[in-house]
Amino acid sequence: MSMTPAPTATKAARRQHDREIVALAVPAFGALVAEPLFVMADSAIVGHLGTAQLAGLGVASALLTTAVSVFVFLAYATTAAVARRVGAGDLQSAIRQGMDGIWLALLLGAAVIAVVLPTAPALVELFGASDTAAPYAITYLRISSLGIPAMLVVLASTGVLRGLQDTKTPLYVALGGFIANGVLNVTLVYGAGLGIAGSAWGTVIAQWTMAVVYLFVVVRGARRHGASLRPDAAGIRACAQAGAPLLVRTLSLRAILMIATAVAARLGDADVAAHQIILSLWSLLAFALDAIAIAGQAIIGRYLGANDPQGARDACRRMVQWGIAAGVVLGVLVVLARPLFIPLFSSDSVVQDAALPALVMVAVSQPICGIVYILDGVLMGAGDGPYLAWAMLATLAVFAPVALLVPVLGGGLTAVWGAMTLMMTVRMVTLWLRARSGRWIVTGATR
């Protein structure tokens, strides 16, 4: 697939694509940024209780974030499936598909609770919590695990609404949830004197409130279009099968990030501290690019469902152009903001010296990241999960030995992020080859 506009992509068509991308991507970005604010708010409130409580929260939050992020396929797969049916003009089937995803989320959430409650002490010990922090981590983890089904419902419901071309409602729900979480945490932690348990209960209540709001919106849509709300075994099984390749993709990506952090840790305290600073910035930049990718999931699925392969190609091409442009802008901003950004996290000159050259590598890689995120979203929207899984496994196979050789060969943190740039380049090549082949273009209400 060429990265230049095709003759069929007229200025009017490009303007239409631009309007659709902005309308979906901007609210999606707001919702994505709102999610990590939950953890930040909890940290700010619990941090005033003491160092042990904050350390316990850090361990428990890492476990909870991992548990939820593994199931992000609930949003991705549901978006693609619902968008196809929207494009085909079958809103009843679209919402029915969404309900199957929500039922799967509830089942998976119940399974996670069944695992976490009895194994919380072992999980906390596995993550290396100190003797003073462990009791707080166990308390927070056990209580907060009760909110995991709600968060998985939120993921699946978000996918439903994105598939319906609605990213504004998730933004409003995310912002409302953030505000409710903050108020509840302050009230229960300090007003009711519950300590870290109050923070956990406040978060659980906010999460279930968000889930209820989403369910109200989806159920209302189901009744309007005559879609059944009952669980359907075949539909739930189909959702699980569609999500399995995306689960493999997500686990492979998590493995890459864990390897990078483990390698940085072997380089020394200053390097791993600088690595965490850079990783936080890298994640923030990813939100901006992922917002366009989310728009891609919804738009591509709709075009394919409407049997419009040319519209899907044109939309893909335009979004790639957006991704490249956004990557260039973000890269320039990283370079310009380096002297201001790093001191916000560390005043240690050794940490700053380690981070500065590595940030240049991050800046250079942003246009590559822009292409990767967009094509990832396009292929997700097309329901091309099996290819995404194999491509990510291949990327992991290339990245792992290169990253592990960094300390052996005497490389520093810049070399680690050079390996990360190589990883993104491999992803770009695999995704670009698939996009160019056109084999992802499968039209119809189902793939």
Side-chain angles (χ1 to χ4, degrees), residues 198-237:
S199 176
W201 280 117
T203 300
V204 168
I205 295 170
Q207 289 168 340
W208 275 106
T209 301
M210 291 170 65
V212 169
V213 172
Y214 271 119
L215 288 173
F216 172 79
V217 174
V218 175
V219 168
R220 185 179 60 183
R223 288 176 174 168
R224 183 186 306 126
H225 297 287
S228 173
L229 300 175
R230 295 180 180 180
D232 176 67
I236 295 172
R237 188 164 52 250

Side-chain angles (χ1 to χ4, degrees), residues 12-211:
R14 289 198 296 271
R15 283 196 295 269
Q16 179 185 347
H17 291 315
D18 291 346
R19 285 194 295 270
E20 287 185 329
I21 293 167
V22 170
L24 291 171
V26 172
F29 175 71
L32 289 170
V33 171
E35 291 172 10
L37 292 178
F38 268 79
V39 177
M40 290 178 62
D42 288 0
S43 299
I45 293 167
V46 171
H48 292 287
L49 295 174
T51 301
Q53 288 90 331
L54 184 59
L57 172 66
V59 171
S61 294
L63 285 163
L64 291 164
T65 300
T66 300
V68 173
S69 65
V70 163
F71 298 112
V72 73
F73 70 84
L74 288 166
Y76 294 158
T78 304
T79 297
V82 172
R84 275 186 175 270
R85 288 161 175 79
V86 169
D90 189 354
L91 289 177
Q92 182 186 70
S93 177
I95 296 177
R96 172 66 261 182
Q97 178 74 27
M99 286 303 306
D100 291 334
I102 290 172
W103 280 112
L104 175 62
L106 287 170
L107 291 173
L108 290 173
V112 173
I113 289 178
V115 172
V116 171
L117 285 179
T119 62
L123 291 171
V124 167
E125 183 179 356
L126 182 65
F127 264 58
S130 66
D131 291 340
T132 54
Y136 297 111
I138 293 169
T139 297
Y140 191 92
L141 181 59
R142 279 180 165 158
I143 296 173
S144 291
S145 68
L146 301 178
I148 288 178
M151 289 309 296
L152 299 189
V153 167
V154 166
L155 285 176
S157 301
T158 300
V160 176
L161 295 180
R162 288 174 181 170
L164 294 171
Q165 318 296 295
D166 176 10
T167 56
K168 290 183 179 179
T169 299
L171 171 61
Y172 299 148
V173 175
L175 291 176
F178 168 69
I179 294 170
N181 179 65
V183 172
L184 286 166
N185 268 255
V186 171
T187 302
L188 295 176
V189 171
Y190 298 111
L194 297 179
I196 195 169
S199 176
W201 280 117
T203 300
V204 168
I205 295 170
Q207 289 168 340
W208 275 106
T209 301
M210 291 170 65

Side-chain angles (χ1 to χ4, degrees), residues 156-382:
S157 301
T158 300
V160 176
L161 295 180
R162 288 174 181 170
L164 294 171
Q165 318 296 295
D166 176 10
T167 56
K168 290 183 179 179
T169 299
L171 171 61
Y172 299 148
V173 175
L175 291 176
F178 168 69
I179 294 170
N181 179 65
V183 172
L184 286 166
N185 268 255
V186 171
T187 302
L188 295 176
V189 171
Y190 298 111
L194 297 179
I196 195 169
S199 176
W201 280 117
T203 300
V204 168
I205 295 170
Q207 289 168 340
W208 275 106
T209 301
M210 291 170 65
V212 169
V213 172
Y214 271 119
L215 288 173
F216 172 79
V217 174
V218 175
V219 168
R220 185 179 60 183
R223 288 176 174 168
R224 183 186 306 126
H225 297 287
S228 173
L229 300 175
R230 295 180 180 180
D232 176 67
I236 295 172
R237 188 164 52 250
C239 286
Q241 290 171 346
L246 296 180
L247 175 60
V248 172
R249 168 200 167 276
T250 300
L251 290 174
S252 300
L253 182 57
R254 297 290 299 185
I256 286 170
L257 296 177
M258 289 176 64
I259 290 171
T261 300
V263 170
R266 293 177 63 185
L267 299 176
D269 290 346
D271 286 288
V272 74
H275 175 74
Q276 288 303 115
I277 294 172
I278 297 170
L279 193 60
S280 66
L281 176 62
W282 196 69
S283 300
L284 179 62
L285 298 172
F287 284 139
L289 298 173
D290 202 28
I292 307 175
I294 287 170
Q297 293 173 32
I299 293 170
I300 294 297
R302 192 189 74 231
Y303 274 117
L304 294 177
N307 292 305
D308 186 357
Q310 189 58 53
R313 289 189 188 94
D314 292 343
C316 174
R317 186 175 294 106
R318 189 58 177 165
M319 281 182 284
V320 168
Q321 293 168 354
W322 269 75
I324 295 171
V328 170
V329 171
L330 292 174
V332 171
L333 289 176
V334 169
V335 171
L336 295 177
R338 279 187 309 156
L340 301 175
F341 176 77
I342 297 176
L344 292 176
F345 292 86
S346 175
S347 57
D348 189 331
S349 61
V350 178
V351 173
Q352 293 180 6
D353 290 342
L356 280 171
L359 271 179
V360 174
M361 191 67 68
V362 172
V364 170
S365 70
Q366 286 311 297
I368 297 172
C369 294
I371 297 172
V372 168
Y373 276 88
I374 301 315
L375 291 182
D376 204 43
V378 166
L379 297 184
M380 282 185 190

